[in-house]
Amino acid sequence: MSATPQKNRASRRVLAAAAGLATVGALVAAMPASAHDRGHGHGHGQGHGHHKPANTVDVQLLSFNDLHGNLEPPAGSAGMVDEKQPDGMVKSIPAGGIEYLASSLRTARKGHPYSITAAGGDMVGASPLLSGLFHDEPTIEALNKLDLDVTSVGNHEFDEGATELARLQNGGCHPVEGCYEKGKKFKGADFPYLAANVTKEKTGKPILKPYTVWKKNGVKIGFIGVTLEGTPDIVTANGVKGLKFHDEIETINKYAKELDRQGVKSIVALIHEGGLPASTAYNYDCDSSGTGDGISGPITEIAKGITPKVDALVTGHTHQAYVCTIPDPAGNPRMVTSASSFGKLYTDTTLTYDRRTKDIVRTSVKSAGARNPKSVNHIVSRDQPKANDMTALIARWNALAAPIANRPQGYITADINGRGSTAPEKPLGDLIADAQLEGLAAEDKGGAVVALMNPGGIRADLVHKASGDEGDGVVTYGESFTVQPFTNMMNVVDLTGAQLVTALQQQVSGSNEASPKILQVSKGLAYTLDMTKSGAARVVTDTIKLNGEAIDPAKTYRVAMNEFLAGGGDGFAALGQGTNKLVGPSDLDVFNAYLAAHSSAAAPLAPPAADRITVIQ
């Protein structure tokens, strides 16, 4: 999802983008071999020994997306999956956690001699403290143990810039913080990260390999990986400095043609862009033809433009669950899948490989009697045995993180929902915005009169139930870090009243019209949002008031926001026009300071009322 990128944690980990790009050129040479012969050789199937190979081979494709470094089971609503029941009711089921994901995938592979595990990007970035504190080395280590074969990059893989992405691929200890464990050097990913549509501005060459070919016993399947073209709009400028992001369709079609010329006729695209199904239930049939059914969003148009040479699309970014068919340009149905986020689901797709044509059989999908391709999303349930190696990995890194992670920061009376709230205004959004206003209101801190927070930067809920032995209602540093893992520096800028109003209108117009991004606002700012209208008219301008007074278009206001928004991120060009900038402490620091000042064990903080934005539906 769109969000502010993470940069530093305890010591403002600034990576030199210019120096980084000089080292990125070494990526291609140091990448793992393109021919993946691992193939998870479980058992002996077609093509083994002296038997005549069968004409077709069933290849199992296991996939997931948007893990975001969630090694431990996600807490609260972030760890729930909606399941539609036979009676039509929807039930929420706890899911996710790398210990369970590993068990699920290993169980699924049994009896499948041809099995590939692929991912759709955002494996790291916006990660909880256990992974984020260590620049996501624990997650890469876990994915290696998981036998991940390949992943595309997502927008969050660029949070710390191209140099850090190169390090995650190739290994080596962090350039500033060094090695985290004595005598252990970070090995990097033993699977290829694919970034076909990301090139260096200076050379025009991809920063990572554009594709890889998985091979086993004569079966060859190509994987092309891309991230969304709009990555620069949702990552800070430093994260994408010196890089160019290209059209997803044109890039995939270009490399599909190249693979085809090499004799690779079976191709899967890993695309970090997604869709929005009509239901949140993971087992919803998005090929339903009822009124309002189906899937919408960017992936629908992308899928229609990708060459028929590509046989299946593994997608992500929207954190939704779906298994849909969308026709390719030749009119043939083609599978498009996504497995929610945080390791809560995995997709099991059967690709029937024809040894004569070297292609995937997909003349009919989900039609009567059709057996292939078939695809199903499965819950990563928490009532199965844990993978012991993942339990040990979590324990090892937790021991390193514990001195920081377990520090109490504040106290709450109940869950304060952020990510888990479906309302435009979120209780946790109000709390964060209030913390930013208070932290930057003093004249010597910036003189802010209002604060704005981007919704995508709120990565979790504050959960009342204890995550460890700290006790219910205690907010630990690890928990507050999970809510705001980017450690963005706060900015206070001058904006005119007219610019402030324009920014509010940009929430629901322009690039945000189809999928609004509603800014979370500090106390004192109130207005009405009329969603029955379209575009900028959805913001009822004569209702916008700050501390009871109408906004004066000609007046100058001091506005606090994180550096991502101050750079015009998420389509808020008006916020990027601020002047007289003062850089303050990090968003996490002001949030923790607010929790400490406004709560105690005897007087915990209650969830805000979330009544600042009046919404007309």
Side-chain angles (χ1 to χ4, degrees):
M1 300 284 283
S2 69
T4 44
Q6 71 193 30
K7 295 214 195 68
N8 96 40
R9 274 109 195 165
S11 60
R12 184 70 181 152
R13 301 163 176 165
V14 177
L15 298 173
L21 286 170
T23 66
V24 173
L27 267 172
V28 175
M31 291 288 295
S34 63
H36 260 262
D37 293 314
R38 181 162 76 224
H40 306 300
H42 300 283
H44 297 280
Q46 301 102 319
H48 277 277
H50 303 290
H51 301 291
K52 182 181 177 182
N55 285 333
T56 60
V57 176
D58 277 351
V59 177
Q60 179 188 56
L61 175 61
L62 302 175
S63 57
F64 58 98
N65 51 277
D66 296 277
L67 181 65
H68 289 288
N70 278 263
L71 301 180
E72 295 177 297
S77 63
M80 306 301 284
V81 170
D82 287 345
E83 180 179 69
K84 189 175 181 181
Q85 305 299 303
D87 62 2
M89 299 296 287
V90 173
K91 179 182 177 183
S92 289
I93 298 173
I98 201 75
E99 297 157 294
Y100 302 112
L101 179 61
S103 290
S104 291
L105 294 177
R106 288 164 183 170
T107 300
R109 289 175 190 145
K110 289 177 181 174
H112 294 275
Y114 294 84
S115 183
I116 310 168
T117 304
D122 276 5
M123 294 295 97
V124 300
S127 305
L129 187 85
L130 177 61
S131 186
L133 188 65
F134 306 106
H135 292 276
D136 286 308
E137 288 182 22
T139 296
I140 298 298
E141 183 185 339
L143 293 172
N144 287 344
K145 289 179 182 292
L146 205 66
D147 282 336
L148 181 64
D149 285 299
V150 59
T151 183
S152 65
V153 294
N155 54 289
H156 282 281
E157 263 80 20
F158 295 93
D159 283 352
E160 295 193 38
T163 314
E164 178 64 2
L165 175 56
R167 189 182 74 88
L168 291 180
Q169 178 71 83
N170 297 331
C173 296
H174 192 270
V176 175
E177 297 180 16
C179 301
Y180 294 113
E181 295 178 289
K182 190 175 180 181
K184 283 190 180 180
K185 182 182 176 183
F186 175 56
K187 294 179 180 178
D190 64 12
F191 51 88
Y193 259 115
L194 304 181
N197 67 330
V198 188
T199 60
K200 288 178 280 185
E201 285 180 347
K202 286 184 178 177
T203 66
K205 293 180 180 177
I207 65 159
L208 292 161
K209 287 176 47 157
Y211 59 81
T212 191
V213 181
W214 182 94
K215 297 178 182 179
K216 185 176 182 184
N217 299 328
V219 175
K220 293 192 290 188
I221 299 180
F223 288 86
I224 303 167
V226 299
T227 189
L228 69 155
E229 185 182 7
T231 292
D233 299 327
I234 53 177
V235 171
T236 56
N238 277 343
V240 295
K241 189 175 181 181
L243 305 179
K244 189 168 175 59
F245 291 75
H246 302 269
D247 182 83
E248 303 95 333
I249 297 172
E250 290 174 10
T251 303
I252 291 170
N253 290 353
K254 169 187 170 182
Y255 287 111
K257 191 181 292 184
E258 190 170 311
L259 282 167
D260 186 61
R261 283 198 302 265
Q262 294 173 15
V264 180
K265 307 294 183 182
S266 299
I267 302 171
V268 176
L270 307 175
I271 309 172
H272 192 70
E273 180 59 289
L276 301 166
S279 168
T280 59
Y282 84 93
N283 54 343
Y284 163 69
D285 179 6
C286 67
D287 288 344
S288 304
S289 56
T291 304
D293 274 345
I295 184 170
S296 59
I299 200 62
T300 56
E301 292 309 308
I302 291 172
K304 289 172 187 173
I306 290 175
T307 172
K309 294 180 191 301
V310 174
D311 298 294
L313 313 181
V314 172
T315 73
H317 188 54
T318 57
H319 290 205
Q320 302 297 307
Y322 48 85
V323 173
C324 303
T325 53
I326 299 175
D328 68 18
N332 293 320
R334 180 166 54 194
M335 197 65 74
V336 180
T337 69
S338 175
S340 184
S341 63
F342 302 167
K344 294 181 288 189
L345 298 176
Y346 72 92
T347 312
D348 190 338
T349 302
T350 302
L351 302 171
T352 293
Y353 182 91
D354 188 322
R355 288 189 178 275
R356 292 166 299 185
T357 64
K358 300 180 181 177
D359 206 350
I360 300 300
V361 180
R362 62 179 184 92
T363 50
S364 60
V365 181
K366 290 177 133 180
S367 59
R371 70 185 186 96
N372 193 39
K374 60 183 180 182
S375 189
V376 181
N377 272 331
H378 296 284
I379 290 184
V380 175
S381 69
R382 297 182 194 168
D383 57 5
Q384 62 182 313
K386 297 178 181 180
N388 292 333
D389 57 339
M390 296 299 179
T391 303
L393 180 150
I394 289 170
R396 205 178 87 240
W397 286 102
N398 260 333
L400 291 173
I404 295 172
N406 296 336
R407 292 179 195 156
Q409 303 299 310
Y411 303 83
I412 55 176
T413 63
D415 288 358
I416 303 181
N417 285 338
R419 202 74 175 182
S421 169
T422 57
E425 182 185 354
K426 306 171 191 309
L428 188 49
D430 285 1
L431 183 63
I432 290 170
D434 286 351
Q436 293 177 352
L437 175 60
E438 182 169 298
L440 299 158
E443 285 304 317
D444 62 337
K445 301 291 186 186
V449 296
V450 64
L452 305 173
M453 175 64 190
N454 58 309
I458 307 168
R459 303 304 298 184
D461 305 329
L462 277 186
V463 180
H464 183 264
K465 183 177 172 59
S467 58
D469 56 10
E470 76 275 11
D472 291 350
V474 179
V475 180
T476 65
Y477 185 89
E479 290 165 340
S480 62
F481 182 99
T482 299
V483 168
Q484 291 198 104
F486 303 109
T487 316
N488 269 304
M489 304 314 285
M490 291 302 303
N491 288 187
V492 185
V493 299
D494 283 349
L495 289 175
T496 65
Q499 288 170 325
L500 187 54
V501 171
T502 299
L504 294 178
Q505 292 172 330
Q506 286 170 347
Q507 301 175 109
V508 289
S509 63
S511 61
N512 293 330
E513 178 159 9
S515 183
K517 292 186 174 73
I518 306 304
L519 294 166
Q520 308 299 288
V521 300
S522 57
K523 59 187 174 186
L525 184 63
Y527 69 96
T528 296
L529 200 56
D530 187 350
M531 297 306 289
T532 65
K533 296 179 180 175
S534 61
R538 290 167 166 171
V539 175
V540 185
T541 52
D542 60 7
T543 66
I544 304 173
K545 290 194 164 82
L546 181 59
N547 300 320
E549 293 184 7
I551 296 291
D552 181 347
K555 185 178 173 182
T556 297
Y557 296 84
R558 293 290 284 164
V559 184
M561 66 193 87
N562 60 45
E563 61 189 316
F564 171 68
L565 280 178
D570 266 354
F572 291 101
L575 298 181
Q577 296 167 358
T579 58
N580 193 20
K581 179 168 73 174
L582 180 142
V583 178
S586 75
D587 52 6
L588 183 59
D589 285 345
V590 297
F591 184 54
N592 283 335
Y594 188 87
L595 290 174
H598 291 273
S599 69
S600 66
L605 197 65
D611 55 1
R612 298 162 190 180
I613 305 172
T614 302
V615 181
I616 301 171
Q617 298 283 9

